[in-house]
Amino acid sequence: MNKRGTGVAFIAIAAFLFSAKYISAAIFGSGVLSWNDELFNAMLTYVESPLNVSSIVALMIGIAYIAWGEYEEFKSKKQ
């Protein structure tokens, strides 16, 4: 797999981790009888931090790989 493909894969992982935060909070609160935004925000605080950090790290790695692949392509075409 080339660097661009790896970058896209990391960005897809970041999107999955970002959405997993909301899915986890919804599953965590699935047994609640009354549902409102304040309750959902409270449930997000239980799962928010590790998934936010992981998704941001994966996104940065993905962007770095895409930039690295583009730089190498630019460098090879310039020569």
Side-chain angles (χ1 to χ4, degrees):
M1 183 181 283
N2 60 12
K3 289 179 179 57
R4 289 183 201 151
T6 305
V8 169
F10 271 105
I11 290 174
I13 290 169
F16 173 75
L17 290 172
F18 184 76
S19 65
K21 173 178 68 170
Y22 292 101
I23 293 170
S24 299
I27 291 171
F28 181 63
S30 64
V32 177
L33 296 176
S34 65
W35 192 263
N36 58 23
D37 289 338
E38 292 173 7
L39 182 63
F40 188 70
N41 288 334
M43 292 185 190
L44 273 176
T45 59
Y46 289 111
V47 295
E48 187 171 14
S49 183
L51 289 174
N52 271 348
V53 171
S54 301
S55 65
I56 290 171
V57 167
L59 180 66
M60 297 307 260
I61 291 172
I63 290 171
Y65 264 102
I66 289 175
W68 187 10
E70 290 296 322
Y71 174 72
E72 285 186 352
E73 182 72 24
F74 175 75
K75 194 168 83 172
S76 69
K77 284 186 178 181
K78 191 175 180 180
Q79 291 177 352

